[in-house]
Amino acid sequence: MTSVDPTVNRADIEVRNPADGRVVGTVPNDSPDIVAAKVRALRAAQPEWEALGPKGRKVWMLRYQDWLIDNAGRIADVVQAETSKPRMDASIEGPAAADIFGFYARRAERFMADRHPTPHSPAVFPKRLAVVYRPYPVVGVITPWNFPFGMPALDIPPALAAGAAVLLKPSEVTPLSGVLLVQGWKEIGAPPVLEVTTGAGGTGAAVVDSVDYVQFTGSTHTGRIIAQRAGELLKPCSLELGGKDAAIVLADADLDRAAHGIAWGGMFNSGQVCISVERVYVEAPVYDDFLAKLTRNVEELRQGQDGDSFRFDVGALATPAQLAVVKRHVDEAVAAGATVVTGGRPTGVGNFFAPTVLVDVDHSMSCIREETFGPTLPVIKVADEAEAIRLANDSEFGLSATVWSGNKTRAARVARQLEVGAVNINDAFSNLFNFTLPMGGWKTSGIGTRFGGAAAVHKYCRSQAITTPRIPTTQKELLWYPYSRRKALFTLGILRSVTSRGLRKFGVSPRGRQ
Ligand code: ADP
């Protein structure tokens, strides 16, 4: 057996454009020792960052927000080079990141402020109470390839705002955007509390082993492995995993809006979004009309590699493996009796798969049971609202859903019966752009949430309880030694009076004196 020197990087990783296979960059495949060294450096720099306080950190985060806006074109170029997204999709990632950095920079002071809860009982009133938020020193952020710049930017700002240092481990498929993100932080001369480590799963595993908190976004499969390891190490983790989002189109919906929204929600980023619409349930009276409109919208999509011309709507899938999953789901559905209304196959160029609408599908098929993460929309006719809810909930996943209806009360009633972390009514993805809402998956779609206003900052903190005497202290507290019968009667009498109600306060119970 040959032994591997853990201090030496393994072979570099080549990054390829998925539309034409061209190599667009290389990054090191960091070894566990290199990860550990980066974490040590972050750990050394973090106390000073924490000591700056939210106001001091805000200065750097707002400067970085400016960098993000000034470099939006450069970011879109790198995102596009390694994903081959249409220019429009690639152009959203920088401004979205700026929005999140700005939000947490400005709100951190309020979110991180000590809380002073009111004592729950007169017995403990003599204490002034404080809850103090202290960050985990080093947070590891492990991200997938679908939004290589935007995805890390969802999780890094609240961690930095909390006073933590952050080690980013971007996907080995699209690491260049993560490298650029950290380069930007260095370009503004900010304190060295944001670093990147590149590599594959082994590098990610080393991050889990070395940091104090793990924020992971990716597949349910890898999420399980990380949760197991985090469990062994008793290390907190937050997991954003797969989804199989249902869209429910009710008979009273604005069908034009529903057909446009679902086409976009299913095809945006070639369907490679954890909250993509992946299955559609339509009430019988409007099924034919809706299907015709949706099919037309999907057929009209322009697919290709557009440089900076904004000419195309849908790009390629990120990897040949992803293309194979999408193809398998469609082929298995067709073999089991499904009908392809439009699309249904790879285009033959790069990793492109034609935007697809499927009908005659049922819940035994992989295109309904498994996450597809591709440009496919299986559509199912349902008798009524109850059947739509039952089928939408018949999934191991529970990330989010959309409900399309002209009646807000009805839509809200349906939303509250869905077993998912978020429901967007008459829209797709809108919860993702609202940072004051929690974003998290139920069932196998995740553990914990991102965003949620203050919750996003607090999750990167350990809360510390501090009690301080509110009134001048005497030599001894009532409960301190020595014990005696007299002291017990007095103390237990007070305790009884504050822990009971009515006559019991005075030692009288309904069945007589105790
Ligand atoms: P995807 O299918 O979206 O690539 P993965 O869950 O495989 O999803 O990967 C998401 C991220 O998790 C990537 O950055 C990848 O390198 C990383 N990763 C893969 N395996 C592990 C692991 N065992 N521990 C930590 N991170 C991992």
Side-chain angles (χ1 to χ4, degrees), residues 45-61 63 109 112 135 160-164 185 189-193:
Q46 184 272 336
E48 212 172 308
W49 179 245
E50 184 181 352
L52 275 182
K55 262 193 187 152
R57 295 194 288 271
K58 174 174 155 184
V59 172
W60 288 110
M61 291 180 68
R63 272 186 212 164
E109 195 177 0
M112 291 292 287
L160 288 176
W185 185 255
V193 288

Side-chain angles (χ1 to χ4, degrees), residues 142-145 169-173 199-206 208 216-223 225-226 322 373:
I142 303 175
T143 52
W145 39 257
K169 208 304 272 173
S171 167
E172 59 275 33
V173 179
T203 309
V208 175
F216 171 77
T217 309
S219 63
T220 296
H221 171 77
T222 305
I225 295 172
I226 289 178
Q322 196 49 43
F373 227 59

Side-chain angles (χ1 to χ4, degrees), residues 257-309:
R257 181 170 173 87
H260 283 300
I262 291 171
W264 184 73
M267 303 299 165
F268 176 71
N269 208 37
S270 305
Q272 301 170 114
V273 191
C274 52
I275 55 170
S276 286
V277 177
E278 292 232 350
R279 47 201 175 111
V280 188
Y281 302 98
V282 189
E283 276 193 308
V286 295
Y287 175 81
D288 290 337
D289 260 11
F290 171 79
L291 184 63
K293 287 175 192 289
L294 177 71
T295 305
R296 195 168 54 243
N297 291 341
V298 171
E299 276 170 350
E300 282 173 1
L301 294 174
R302 298 153 306 165
Q303 191 174 32
Q305 197 183 1
D306 68 356
D308 61 1
S309 67

Side-chain angles (χ1 to χ4, degrees), residues 20-42:
D20 53 25
R22 136 186 84 93
V23 174
V24 291
T26 55
V27 292
N29 189 6
D30 283 350
S31 69
D33 279 13
I34 288 172
V35 172
K38 288 183 174 178
V39 170
R40 273 197 302 279
L42 288 168

Side-chain angles (χ1 to χ4, degrees), residues 446-471:
I447 293 177
T449 56
R450 61 158 56 102
F451 300 152
V457 174
H458 292 167
K459 93 177 197 190
Y460 293 117
C461 294
R462 297 148 308 171
S463 50
Q464 187 173 47
I466 298 180
T467 72
T468 316
R470 194 192 285 279
I471 49 177

Side-chain angles (χ1 to χ4, degrees), residues 48-185:
E48 212 172 308
W49 179 245
E50 184 181 352
L52 275 182
K55 262 193 187 152
R57 295 194 288 271
K58 174 174 155 184
V59 172
W60 288 110
M61 291 180 68
L62 290 181
R63 272 186 212 164
Y64 187 66
Q65 183 190 32
D66 294 342
W67 182 90
L68 289 166
I69 296 296
D70 295 345
N71 289 273
R74 186 174 159 202
I75 294 166
D77 287 345
V78 174
V79 168
Q80 219 178 5
E82 61 183 355
T83 63
S84 88
K85 288 179 197 231
R87 189 67 179 180
M88 185 67 209
D89 292 358
S91 299
I92 289 171
E93 300 200 25
D99 195 13
I100 304 168
F101 265 90
F103 175 73
Y104 284 107
R106 290 194 179 86
R107 296 293 179 90
E109 195 177 0
R110 196 196 306 166
F111 294 160
M112 291 292 287
D114 295 354
R115 279 196 309 115
H116 295 285
T118 310
H120 75 280
S121 144
V124 289
F125 185 75
K127 296 288 180 265
R128 178 175 155 82
L129 310 182
V131 180
V132 173
Y133 297 102
R134 304 271 311 279
Y136 288 99
V138 183
V139 169
V141 173
I142 303 175
T143 52
W145 39 257
N146 56 344
F147 295 98
F149 200 95
M151 194 59 77
L154 299 183
D155 298 312
I156 290 171
L160 288 176
V166 177
L167 180 61
L168 168 64
K169 208 304 272 173
S171 167
E172 59 275 33
V173 179
T174 55
L176 304 177
S177 303
V179 169
L180 177 62
L181 187 153
V182 172
Q183 195 178 319
W185 185 255

